[in-house]
Amino acid sequence: MPDPTVPPTPPVPLDALLAREDLGLRRVAGPSDPGVVVRWAHTSEMADPYPYLLGGELLLSAGVHIPDGAGPGYFDAYVSRIVAAGGAALGFGLAPVHDTVPRALVAACDLQGLPLLEVPPRTTFSGVARAVWQLMAQARLAELRRVTEAHRGLASAAARPDPVPSVLHRLSRHLDGRAVLFGPEGTEIAAAGRTLGEEADTALAKLAEVVRPAGPDEHRPDPTGGTGPGTVPGTAGPASPAGQARSRPSPASATDTVAEVRLAAYALGAGHGFVLGVAAPSRDSGDHTIASVAAVLLSLLTGEQQSGTGAARSAALVRLLLGSGPEAVAPLLGGERWRVVHARQAVRPSEARSAQARSPDALAASALGAALGSALVDPAGGIVRVLVPAGREPEAQPGWTLGVSAAVAPHDWPTADTQAARALARARATRVPLVVHGARPALDDLVPAADARAHARMLLAPLADTPALTDTLRTWLSLHGSWDRTAVALSVHRNTVRQRIARCAALLDADLDDPDVRMNLWFALRRV
């Protein structure tokens, strides 16, 4: 069996053979169609070559089979058998049997649309066959290079902060068409590339339904009832009895042609319902390989990368809704200690203003969760929060800025959420890709928690009614009094930071330049 990851050898355009000066071939009959291709060369002197042809051949003959006095009827029958067998062209060799190409053969080829080439005496049939294989080898090498470049480009796109749109965009460029990701409900989630007409778009959506996994009570669309000659492997079977519904098995892929547009659909993942649809005006030999690689990447990006099973996560959610505490449901999710990660997509300074209000799309957030090793992801308000088992150490991710909490037990998840938020603010302010909250023993561990909280409430009481002041003071102290870094971390102007800190100093009646005052305030801020 051929390797499915390697594109089949591309055929050779007939015009490429005619362009070879060393062969000296000349077209003497038949259409001058640049789309005619040759898949191999075959020599035969049989009067009826039909049984020996597979289709796509350049049939080579010196006319040994032609009887003396053969008339138009013989040549018409001979050419019709070549056409019926799917022959691509006929090469007629001059000498030693015939000095010229028979006129009746020329007429028969013109009549039946079969290209007829004159092979000069100096050109051997083996030389023609060798030229075909040389051109095929060159075409195969070029196609392998194209596929390899596409693989690299798709892998690079999958590593971007917006992996799904990037993969679709790169795929549409390589295929010079359109790539669409359909969701489990059949809706278009993302798309890239140029549209090829409303008819093709509608047909592509219908083709996606053919490969989308169906539930036990769903009817699978009949691939033979589409708008074009679809090819759907694995869907054949006996008809269901009248009045009974039968779920047709889902094929992994399906193809169709509508309005001269080649369509293909690929089922993604392990039955979650996502489908990749591709539409292109033509289809080269390596296109299926390229689209298959994109389907694998999209399967990973849209699949359910999870720390526990989907059923266990569902059970954990139900138990939480019914009143169970985090510590009771954490074992269902796959860990005893956890980290909270806050992530924000990295943007260029020129894009910072518009990016503040833009939340990462669900697929980008899911891809980030998969990279961190967890499916417990919550994208909201421009921030992605991920709950990660402590055994998986979060690493910096390209295109993201991360803040990571200390490893905590489930009952301390709210505290870890606060730690991750502060770590993210520090990471953004210091322009580093990842900051982890320090978990080493601190001075406040020496003070009883109840006493520390009471002291903090009393000291910070003047700021209690203004959370913005408390947050600004905490961030400013954590960044050693840097106005610029605090402004970046809070997404405000540095003058706003100065005004708020001055207001804090006035309300607290404290000298914020005094290190002892700063230490006391930092101690208190860590307890609220």
Side-chain angles (χ1 to χ4, degrees):
M1 295 294 292
D3 185 351
T5 64
V6 178
T9 301
V12 175
L14 184 61
D15 285 352
L17 272 178
L18 292 169
R20 290 278 297 256
E21 294 183 0
D22 58 320
L23 298 179
L25 303 179
R26 185 170 67 93
R27 191 196 319 261
V28 294
S32 300
D33 184 359
V36 175
V37 295
V38 174
R39 298 189 179 277
W40 37 69
H42 176 67
T43 300
S44 174
E45 295 297 343
M46 303 295 294
D48 181 9
Y50 181 95
Y52 308 97
L53 300 181
L54 296 175
E57 295 93 347
L58 168 61
L59 179 63
L60 299 171
S61 172
V64 176
H65 59 88
I66 302 175
D68 293 337
Y74 176 86
F75 291 105
D76 288 341
Y78 176 68
V79 172
S80 67
R81 293 295 282 172
I82 298 174
V83 172
L90 173 63
F92 193 87
L94 301 182
V97 181
H98 297 271
D99 294 332
T100 60
V101 180
R103 292 184 179 180
L105 179 60
V106 174
C109 288
D110 275 331
L111 180 65
Q112 301 190 44
L114 180 68
L116 175 61
L117 310 184
E118 180 187 88
V119 183
R122 63 181 175 84
T123 301
T124 63
F125 286 175
S126 60
V128 175
R130 182 176 60 183
V132 170
W133 289 113
Q134 288 175 343
L135 291 171
M136 291 179 69
Q138 294 172 5
R140 179 176 175 81
L141 180 60
E143 191 70 359
L144 286 173
R145 287 175 176 170
R146 185 177 79 93
V147 171
T148 300
E149 180 185 354
H151 285 189
R152 293 173 180 171
L154 291 169
S156 176
R160 290 177 56 85
D162 51 347
V164 171
S166 296
V167 168
L168 293 175
H169 176 70
R170 185 61 66 97
L171 177 61
S172 67
R173 285 181 53 193
H174 283 297
L175 302 185
D176 190 26
R178 183 169 178 80
V180 182
L181 177 64
F182 295 98
E185 303 300 325
T187 56
E188 183 178 303
I189 295 179
R194 58 193 179 97
T195 182
L196 298 175
E198 183 177 352
E199 183 180 1
D201 291 343
T202 302
L204 185 60
K206 290 181 179 179
L207 191 64
E209 289 300 306
V210 173
V211 301
R212 185 179 65 82
D217 297 327
E218 290 185 81
H219 292 276
R220 170 70 48 201
D222 187 348
T224 63
T227 57
T231 301
V232 186
T235 61
S240 300
Q244 294 184 12
R246 185 178 64 85
S247 178
R248 188 187 299 271
S250 303
S253 63
T255 61
D256 199 355
T257 301
V258 173
E260 298 185 356
V261 176
R262 297 295 302 272
L263 309 177
Y266 302 84
L268 304 184
H272 299 305
F274 290 94
V275 175
L276 168 64
V278 174
S282 62
R283 191 169 182 82
D284 295 328
S285 57
D287 288 350
H288 175 70
T289 304
I290 295 173
S292 297
V293 171
V296 171
L297 292 173
L298 291 171
S299 295
L300 296 175
L301 294 172
T302 59
E304 208 172 12
Q305 307 294 327
Q306 49 193 5
S307 56
T309 65
R313 291 209 311 275
S314 178
L317 175 60
V318 171
R319 293 187 188 184
L320 281 173
L321 294 174
L322 295 180
S324 296
E327 62 278 359
V329 303
L332 293 172
L333 301 176
E336 296 181 356
R337 296 181 67 79
W338 299 78
R339 296 181 186 272
V340 177
V341 178
H342 280 214
R344 182 187 287 270
Q345 286 183 309
V347 295
R348 293 188 293 270
S350 60
E351 300 174 347
R353 185 180 300 275
S354 61
Q356 289 176 10
R358 184 182 65 204
S359 296
D361 64 81
L363 291 175
S366 176
L368 173 64
L372 296 175
S374 176
L376 303 174
V377 180
D378 173 31
I383 299 293
V384 177
R385 298 190 299 175
V386 187
L387 193 58
V388 181
R392 297 186 175 98
E393 294 293 333
E395 298 180 353
Q397 301 297 320
W400 294 89
T401 302
L402 306 180
V404 183
S405 75
V408 301
H411 63 269
D412 285 329
W413 281 347
T415 301
D417 188 46
T418 301
Q419 292 174 354
R422 295 173 182 172
L424 175 61
R426 186 171 183 82
R428 295 185 64 225
T430 54
R431 293 180 173 85
V432 296
L434 182 145
V435 167
V436 180
H437 177 82
R440 59 183 180 273
L443 180 63
D444 55 6
D445 295 331
L446 304 177
V447 181
D451 293 344
R453 286 194 293 270
H455 170 73
R457 285 194 296 269
M458 179 184 68
L459 183 61
L460 299 174
L463 308 181
D465 295 334
T466 315
L469 295 181
T470 304
D471 291 341
T472 301
L473 180 60
R474 178 187 292 111
T475 305
W476 182 73
L477 289 175
S478 73
L479 297 172
H480 310 290
S482 170
W483 308 109
D484 292 332
R485 291 183 176 181
T486 303
V488 171
L490 297 176
S491 299
V492 298
H493 196 276
R494 66 195 302 259
N495 288 343
T496 302
V497 176
R498 289 182 178 276
Q499 294 169 3
R500 290 180 181 177
I501 295 301
R503 181 63 175 162
C504 289
L507 291 174
L508 296 172
D509 191 20
D511 180 7
L512 298 185
D513 291 328
D514 187 331
D516 288 331
V517 172
R518 290 193 181 191
M519 183 186 69
N520 285 328
L521 288 172
W522 181 245
F523 175 87
L525 287 166
R526 286 174 59 86
R527 311 309 299 182
V528 297

